[in-house]
Structures are given as structure tokens and as C-alpha cells.
Amino acid sequence: MTGRETGSAVLGAHRVTLAYGATAVVHEVSLTVDAGGVGLIGESGSGKTTLARALLGLLRPRSGTIRYGSRDLAALDRTGRAEFRRAVQPVFQDGSEALDPRMTAAASIGEALTTHHRIGRDRRRARVAELLDDVGLDPALADRRPHQMSGGQRQRVAIARALAVEPRLLVLDEPTSALDVTVQARILDLLERLAAERSLGHLLITHNLGVVDRLCRTSHVLFAGRVVESGPTRDLLVRPAHPYTLALRDAVPRLGGEPPRASGRTEAAPAETGCPFRLRCPLAADRCREEAPEDREVAGRRVACHRAEDVLERAGHAQRQ
Amino acid sequence: MTAPVVPGAGAAPPALRRTPLRRFAGVDRLAVAGAVLLALIVLAALLAPWIAPYPEDGGSATHPLEALLPPSAEHWFGTDQVGRDVLSRVLYGARTSLLIAVAVLVISGGVGVALGVVAGYAGGWVRDVIMRVTDVFLAFPALLLSLALAVVLQPSVTTVIVAIAVTWWPWYARLTASVAASVATRGFVDSARCLGVPAPLIVFRHVLPNSLTPVLVQLSLDGGGVILTAAALSYLGLGAHEPTSEWGLMVQQGQSLFTTNWWVVTFPGLAILVTAFAFNVLGEGLRARLAR
């Protein structure tokens, strides 16, 4: 229907609407996660974490389906669900939150090892050491509790725990935003290496465009719970076709360059009628107030904007300067 | 095992290493004071048959000729109406009071924590049902409900324990539910759910241990309250009865003599005060320590 779905996708959302109580925070989002990495970009409040929770099966969609392979997640039987749990693992923003403060690294990773399989004590210890080594940690850290480790170490333990069940896909929810910049870079190195070595698919949720550029072949830009632009990450970043993607890109500070200037009224709420972005859009025209833009194909990506061609034009100008 | 031991290798830096001594020294002095005082009381209760000067006076012995003797070298706390040594009875009374306190805290704490943690983790209608039931219990004034129960049942130590436990568990259920509900939203619980850990195991392994600390503080704060309530019930004749040594009962029996033979009522009263105080100091100390 959307033309974006492929048979090989491990995980996908199909016209998913998510709500807390009466308030819908994600509207009819469709996307698939396959090999090569998929980015989900948006500012805080755009619904990206909510979407991640739904994809992890922690939140039931109000309408639409989350698909694991070709099956509906909500309709999975016991064994199907166990299989899904083994295949899809999360890495959350903050390792200190994702690890039980009362458990040592070995106990946290051990829990993952024993949940689906029986495994002897010696074998378990050996696997924990192996996994710690895989994520670049000294196996001697096994007996430490989260508060005895640094932020970067905690995040590595959380990644080791996720890898313990040998998943096919990781859902990375802002995996580096709680870390120092230098530590961020090393965690990204690790994720990049793991993805390549283990042919792991991943969905990377972030507000940091540089991160997506490194790790994701395709990306989706989420604004106010709607996908406004999706396509190859490079194209999106080099020549955005949606004014929101453009604004996000131009807000990235560059060393030695001009400090970034926010364009449009960033504090404006999403509009109720017409295009949700129009109140913040420097290009908003009459048409944007009257009708909500449909998803359409422009320059090799899907974009929901009446003036996508003009945005491309602008982005091209900025590129040449 | 075979690798040579390099000092400090792989271990936390010295400042982070938590030796038992450091941990002890770090605990608030108030909590230590309360714990020591309480330990002394427990010790006195356990050793009552050996340290009581007149062990038989803890029970039904009577010595009419020695009735109502004032404190002296033979009877440090004096004697009561039937000539029993008040010190011996206060020591034996510690057994009854502590037994009641521990039994009430274990029963009401156990029931309250179990229901609370389930309510807090499950949320939705499960939480609603459990919380409405606790609300019903909380709607009655606690002492009144205990009194009513104690009247219906036969007066005894067991009655006191049941009557108090019935009115106390809802507080622990409510406290645990609110703590568990916030623990349930934390990342490590989501992370366990994503692993496919079954819900009962998540509750037992992650939610319960991480919800317990404030409940333990509340339990130790409440120890004094239980002893006071038990004393009140016994005082009203609904709890322990003769010849059991129980502080509330002793106060009740001695109160008419207060103006003439002050020691009969004063020493058991002081025992209640000191024990309740010890529980409170311990609880306060723990709370201060955990707030840091």
C-alpha cells in the first residue's frame, strides 16, 4: 500500500496510531526496519520514544499494527512472542536506568542468558566474560553494580545484556545522549562494529543528525507524531525536502562556523488544521493552512510538504554557498 | 583463579570500596543508637529467664507477704499487689511486647507489601480493586477496628496480634503500591519485559527489591506504635491477661495504686516508652540515611 514494505523486514509499523489516554501522540506512522540501519529523527515530544516502545511491544497501538516479520505482534502466540523477545532488544538512553541498581553486571547479563535457555553456572560465567569482552569491557567489571561504573561502562553493559540473547535487531533509543561527547563517539564505534559483525539490524532514535549519518542508511523524520520525510539518510541531510528537516540540519552547530540560528517559530505548537508544521514554517503558504499535505514522492524520498520543491531549491542554495 | 593477584587490579578505587566497617561508620549515629537500644531490649527479652532476679515471678507466682514493697536492693523496681518482683515482670513483659510487635510487623508488612507490589506493578483494574479494599480498611479508625475485633475474639496475645495486623496492613499496601508503581516505570523493568522475563519474576526480582527500602523504614518507625497499641488493648482488658507479663496489662493493674505505690505502674510504663522510642529513633535514622 505504501510501497515501502519489503518482505525481509524484521520489524515494522503499519499505519500505527499511539495514544496516552485521549491524546494521540503518534499518527498513522508506517515504517520498516531492515538491515542497514534505520534512523528516526525528531525533537523531544515528537513521539519517537513512544513509537519505540510500541515497536518493542511495551505499548499497544490504538490502531494499526506492529509487525514482526509478516505477523501482527498483538496476535502472536506464546512461542511467537518468545521468539520476538529474543529477536528484538532495546538499548535505552541511560544505562543507569536500564540496569537494576541492585544487580551486578554479571547478574544483569546472566538474567538475559537464563531467560530463554537453561545454562550451567560455569558456562554462564564464561558467556558473561565473553559478552563483556565483546563490548570492550574488562571482564573484571562483572561484579560491579551500576553505581560503581561510569556512564559509558553502564551503557556497554546494557548493550552486552541486549546482545546476550543474540538478537537480530536492536532498538536504540537515544543510546548516547546521556554520555560525554568522547564517550558517545566510542559507543557509536561499538554499535557500528557490532552491526557490521553480526549483521544486526537497528532502529536508531535520536535528535542528533550526526549520529544517524554514521549508522543509518535510511531515515525518517518525525514531527508532532507524523513522519514528514523519509528516504536515504545522505539525501535527507544533504538536500532536505521538508522545511523541518532543513531546520533540524541547519540547527547543528559546526566548529569554527557561524553559530546556528533557529529558523521559524520553534516554540509554536503543531497546527490543528492544514499542515501541522505551518506555524513554524518559513515557507508556509495559503495552501498549507487549507489542506494537510499528502505523502508524496519527491527527489527519491517520501515527503509530506506542499512546497517540497522549493525546500529542495533552498537547500541546494545553502549547499553551494 | 590462576592469574596472579595484582593489588587493586579490577577492583573499585579505594574510595568506592565499601568495607563493612565503612558502611557501619557511614550509617547515621541516630540509627545506630536506636539499633543498639533495641538490641539491648531484645537481648533482655531473650535472656529474661536467666537475668530476671525472680524468674518465677514472670508467671503466676504469688508472695502475699511481700506485696507492694517499694524499690530496694532485693527488688530494684519494687513488688506488685501479689508480691511479684516488678523488674522480673518487666523483663518477661519485653518478651510479650516484642513478640506482638514482630508478629504484627511481619504479618501486616508481609500482606501489605505483597498486595502493594502487585497493585503497583499491574496497575489498571488490579490496582483499583486492591486499593479500594485497602481504602475500606483505612476508613475505620484503626484503634476502633482493633477494639471491635478484640471484643469479638477471646482476649489473648494472639487476639492482639490479629486485631492490630488487620488495621495496619493497608498502610503498607498503600505505601508499597505507590513506590512499586514508580519503580515499574523505570528502564530496568522495561528492559526485563523486553527480554521476555515473566511478570511474576519481574515483580519478585526487580520491582520488590527496589521498592522495599521505604517500607522497611516505615516498619521500623511503626514498631513503637504497635507496642503502644498493644499496650492500649491490654490496658483495656482486651489483650494479654493474667498471669502473662505484659506492659500494658501491668500499667492497667497498677494505675489505681499510682498515688500510693508509684513503682507498680511507672516501670512498665517506662519500658513501653523506651522501646517505642528505640523503634522511632531507628526508623528516623534509617530515613535520614536513605534520604541522603
Side-chain angles (χ1 to χ4, degrees), chain B residues 167-211:
Chain B
T167 57
W168 285 53
W169 70 266
W171 296 102
Y172 303 121
R174 193 183 255 189
L175 175 65
T176 312
S178 73
V179 180
S182 85
V183 171
T185 64
R186 292 183 56 185
F188 59 86
V189 173
D190 279 344
S191 164
R193 286 174 66 194
C194 286
L195 271 181
V197 180
L201 261 185
I202 293 181
V203 169
F204 193 72
R205 208 186 268 162
H206 299 289
V207 182
L208 180 65
N210 285 290
S211 309

Side-chain angles (χ1 to χ4, degrees), chain B residues 6-23:
Chain B
V6 182
L16 282 179
R17 211 178 291 151
R18 286 160 68 92
T19 63
L21 187 71
R22 260 172 220 284
R23 207 177 288 183

Side-chain angles (χ1 to χ4, degrees), chain A residues 53 56-58 85 88-90 92 96-103 108 111-112 115-116 138 140 144 147-148 161 165, chain B residues 9-13 16 18 185-198 201 205-207 209-211 213:
Chain A
R53 288 178 58 83
L56 287 164
L58 295 174
R85 288 303 182 201
V88 180
Q89 280 297 303
F92 295 119
S96 63
E97 262 294 294
L99 299 173
D100 190 322
R102 293 173 171 270
M103 285 189 170
S108 280
E111 179 178 40
T115 297
H116 298 284
D138 183 352
R144 296 245 192 116
H147 69 94
Q148 297 165 317
R161 174 177 155 99
V165 294
Chain B
L16 282 179
R18 286 160 68 92
T185 64
R186 292 183 56 185
F188 59 86
V189 173
D190 279 344
S191 164
R193 286 174 66 194
C194 286
L195 271 181
V197 180
L201 261 185
R205 208 186 268 162
H206 299 289
V207 182
N210 285 290
S211 309
T213 5

Side-chain angles (χ1 to χ4, degrees), chain A residues 93-95 150-156 174-188:
Chain A
Q93 180 170 351
D94 188 353
S150 70
Q153 288 172 334
R154 282 195 289 262
Q155 196 60 301
R156 283 170 194 264
E174 303 259 12
T176 59
S177 57
L179 303 171
D180 289 343
V181 185
T182 48
V183 183
Q184 279 186 15
R186 302 184 61 180
I187 295 286
L188 292 174

Side-chain angles (χ1 to χ4, degrees), chain B residues 237-262:
Chain B
L238 300 168
H241 47 80
E242 274 292 334
T244 315
S245 301
E246 207 279 339
W247 296 336
L249 185 64
M250 290 163 75
V251 169
Q252 187 238 335
Q253 291 171 340
Q255 70 167 341
S256 55
L257 302 168
F258 182 62
T259 46
T260 48
N261 312 89
W262 57 271

Side-chain angles (χ1 to χ4, degrees), chain A:
Chain A
M1 233 187 304
T2 57
R4 256 181 273 164
E5 281 159 21
T6 54
S8 67
V10 178
L11 194 62
H14 180 72
R15 299 176 66 94
V16 163
T17 296
L18 300 166
Y20 292 116
T23 346
V25 290
V26 169
H27 308 268
E28 303 238 328
V29 168
S30 297
L31 57 85
T32 55
V33 190
D34 38 31
V38 176
L40 189 60
I41 309 161
E43 61 196 2
S44 22
S46 58
K48 43 190 203 310
T49 295
T50 306
L51 188 55
R53 288 178 58 83
L55 286 166
L56 287 164
L58 295 174
L59 188 69
R60 254 169 203 276
R62 170 184 281 184
S63 67
T65 50
I66 302 291
R67 287 183 185 159
Y68 168 61
S70 56
R71 292 175 290 175
D72 180 358
L73 194 60
L76 285 183
D77 58 6
R78 227 181 145 79
T79 46
R81 204 151 179 92
E83 190 192 306
F84 165 73
R85 288 303 182 201
R86 277 201 305 278
V88 180
Q89 280 297 303
V91 174
F92 295 119
Q93 180 170 351
D94 188 353
S96 63
E97 262 294 294
L99 299 173
D100 190 322
R102 293 173 171 270
M103 285 189 170
T104 61
S108 280
I109 299 170
E111 179 178 40
L113 291 171
T114 49
T115 297
H116 298 284
H117 302 286
R118 289 185 170 280
I119 175 170
R121 179 179 295 211
D122 293 340
R123 179 86 193 97
R124 190 167 69 203
R125 275 207 77 82
R127 272 298 282 154
V128 167
E130 256 171 58
L131 284 160
L132 286 173
D133 192 55
D134 285 350
V135 296
L137 286 178
D138 183 352
L141 288 173
D143 296 323
R144 296 245 192 116
R145 283 171 218 284
H147 69 94
Q148 297 165 317
M149 293 185 274
S150 70
Q153 288 172 334
R154 282 195 289 262
Q155 196 60 301
R156 283 170 194 264
V157 172
I159 293 169
R161 174 177 155 99
L163 293 177
V165 294
E166 292 168 6
R168 294 164 62 197
L169 189 142
L170 292 180
V171 174
L172 308 162
D173 187 1
E174 303 259 12
T176 59
S177 57
L179 303 171
D180 289 343
V181 185
T182 48
V183 183
Q184 279 186 15
R186 302 184 61 180
I187 295 286
L188 292 174
D189 288 342
L190 170 67
L191 290 171
E192 199 171 21
R193 177 170 65 81
L194 291 170
E197 280 175 11
R198 305 181 176 225
S199 61
L200 262 174
H202 59 265
L203 175 70
L204 175 64
I205 293 157
T206 184
H207 59 264
N208 186 336
L209 297 181
V211 173
V212 177
D213 194 20
R214 271 190 67 179
L215 288 170
C216 305
R217 201 181 298 158
T218 47
S219 286
H220 304 269
V221 179
L222 203 62
F223 174 76
R226 289 179 177 85
V227 173
V228 293
E229 182 171 6
S230 41
T233 308
R234 273 272 111 188
D235 294 358
L236 251 61
L237 296 185
V238 174
R239 276 183 79 203
H242 193 281
Y244 178 57
T245 319
L246 183 65
L248 281 177
R249 190 197 69 177
D250 291 347
V252 176
R254 283 194 193 79
L255 281 182
E258 286 270 301
R261 221 166 279 142
S263 56
R265 298 166 50 213
T266 52
E267 75 288 354
E272 299 285 336
T273 57
C275 172
F277 190 64
R278 69 184 161 83
L279 298 178
R280 284 169 59 171
C281 184
L283 298 173
D286 287 348
R287 193 179 168 203
C288 304
R289 190 166 54 230
E290 284 149 16
E291 71 183 285
E294 287 290 318
D295 229 15
R296 62 197 174 103
E297 200 89 28
V298 178
R301 80 268 331 244
R302 311 277 311 176
V303 60
C305 178
H306 295 307
R307 306 198 56 188
E309 288 79 3
D310 301 323
V311 180
L312 281 167
E313 181 75 5
R314 279 200 160 203
H317 270 299
Q319 205 62 29
R320 262 171 259 133
Q321 276 169 5

